[in-house]
Amino acid sequence: QVQLVESGGGLVLAGDSLRLSCAASGSIFSINAMGWIRQAPGKDREFVAAITWRGGVIYYADSVEGRFTISRDGAKNTVYLQMNRLKPEDTAVYYCATTRTGALHWPPAYDSWGQGTQVTVSS
């Protein structure tokens, strides 16, 4: 099992930036990728970005490509999500999650989840 602790959410204005962090511990050797998944009120969980743990291959949802950047610090077992030019439609609870599979764009493929951090973007 992997334990995940997120931090960095908050309330910002449209156009502002935020950086989310996710520290992993436990059975890290089992991770294929770490990702960020978000859930807005009344909506399904939505893939945002992912990075493979060993190769550092990166994937983004079309809705955040060019605005968000995912990165990792292997020494700290930590993944970051730098979010720039935030929009009101980015408002959601953001979850850090890990998967042992290659289905990185599919939220049900993630089997360890953090507690979530709220990101609210006001217009």
Side-chain angles (χ1 to χ4, degrees):
Q1 191 73 2
V2 177
Q3 292 78 46
L4 302 168
V5 178
E6 302 136 336
S7 61
L11 171 64
V12 297
L13 295 175
D16 284 352
S17 299
L18 276 176
R19 189 175 83 154
L20 306 182
S21 300
C22 175
S25 60
S27 302
I28 295 172
F29 62 90
S30 67
I31 297 173
N32 178 53
M34 289 184 69
W36 290 95
I37 312 293
R38 67 187 182 187
Q39 188 167 24
K43 295 189 177 181
D44 292 336
R45 290 186 174 182
E46 174 190 21
F47 168 80
V48 176
I51 184 167
T52 61
W53 196 243
R54 293 171 185 81
V57 181
I58 290 172
Y59 303 86
Y60 293 106
D62 290 344
S63 58
V64 306
E65 179 92 48
R67 297 188 298 122
F68 291 10
T69 302
I70 189 171
S71 62
R72 65 186 170 95
D73 183 333
K76 297 181 178 179
N77 294 330
T78 298
V79 170
Y80 304 96
L81 186 68
Q82 177 67 41
M83 304 185 293
N84 297 330
R85 303 198 308 276
L86 282 160
K87 304 176 180 180
E89 51 263 44
D90 294 318
T91 295
V93 176
Y94 283 69
Y95 297 91
C96 174
T98 65
T99 180
R100 292 171 287 176
T101 77
L104 306 188
H105 291 80
W106 192 45
Y110 290 79
D111 50 18
S112 293
W113 293 77
Q115 78 281 6
T117 185
Q118 178 71 46
V119 172
T120 303
V121 185
S122 173
S123 57

